Amino acid sequence: TITAGELMDTPLLPNALVVEGFLSAGTYILAGTPKIGKSFLMTQLCWCVSEGADFLGYDTRQAAVLYLALEDTNARLQRRLNTMFGVDWQGDHLHLAFRSIHTGDDLVQDLRDFVFEHPETRLIVIDTLLRARGHDNGDYNYSADYRDVLPFKEFTDAHDLALILVHHTRK
């Protein structure tokens, strides 16, 4: 243990900001009913951070972004990006994946490998949590969610980046 005095005397750096006044490093769950626009919102966030553009009126810190669009196809996401942003942009900082052969701890290791190869990464979005957990045993309660999200939290704590897990409230 340490004393409260020791804690207060320890200089700690604040978490990195991804979107000023809106999103700092950490692990988040974005949950809502299907087809409400979660993926559109995450696509917009990923693009804005990767391009250094404002997101919902907030300044972003331009950085590499990994978007695991695990329920999308190449064509569907291409149409969404074209509709939202046109085609006059580079996209060099926005990395996309449409499938992952790993889940759980193995997926976290894949994320570590990606961040090692792209140390400027500050945002990762996994759409959806169900695809990241890799099992569907119907055990969806607070304890199961906590157990499945914990490796992602430990990862973001170690790498000072934001990770958003998209989740359906019912399906």
Side-chain angles (χ1 to χ4, degrees):
T1 66
I2 64 171
T3 68
E6 290 170 325
L7 176 62
M8 298 310 291
D9 289 340
T10 303
L12 300 172
L13 295 173
N15 286 353
L17 288 174
V18 178
V19 180
E20 297 287 333
F22 186 81
L23 180 66
S24 62
T27 304
Y28 303 89
I29 295 176
L30 173 69
T33 58
K35 305 300 177 199
I36 198 168
K38 298 178 300 296
S39 295
F40 273 87
L41 182 67
M42 290 299 95
T43 301
Q44 183 179 16
L45 174 63
C46 290
W47 184 88
C48 288
V49 171
S50 72
E51 293 293 311
D54 285 359
F55 175 71
L56 302 176
Y58 294 92
D59 292 335
T60 63
R61 173 182 170 200
Q62 185 176 20
V65 175
L66 175 60
Y67 183 25
L68 282 77
L70 302 178
E71 292 190 339
D72 269 322
T73 64
N74 299 32
R76 187 169 158 188
L77 189 54
Q78 183 185 59
R79 281 191 307 272
R80 184 179 307 141
L81 286 166
N82 185 43
T83 298
M84 294 171 82
F85 309 109
V87 294
D88 192 20
W89 50 282
Q90 291 296 313
D92 295 337
H93 300 290
L94 178 51
H95 302 267
L96 307 169
F98 299 95
R99 62 197 55 77
S100 174
I101 58 171
H102 296 127
T103 58
D105 290 335
D106 292 333
L107 176 56
V108 171
Q109 184 57 52
D110 290 344
L111 299 178
R112 278 191 192 94
D113 294 344
F114 180 86
V115 170
F116 180 77
E117 293 173 22
H118 304 90
E120 68 283 4
T121 303
R122 289 292 163 260
L123 175 63
I124 297 173
V125 172
I126 302 176
D127 192 352
T128 66
L129 174 58
L130 180 61
R131 297 283 178 123
R133 358 174 86 122
H135 61 84
D136 187 8
N137 62 6
D139 184 24
Y140 301 119
N141 56 49
Y142 178 79
S143 295
D145 289 345
Y146 191 88
R147 179 192 65 234
D148 293 343
V149 172
L150 184 60
F152 295 103
K153 182 197 178 313
E154 292 169 346
F155 165 75
T156 59
D157 289 349
H159 294 282
D160 201 29
L161 55 82
L163 184 143
I164 301 172
L165 295 156
V166 178
H167 188 47
H168 296 289
T169 54
R170 60 180 163 83
K171 199 159 193 180

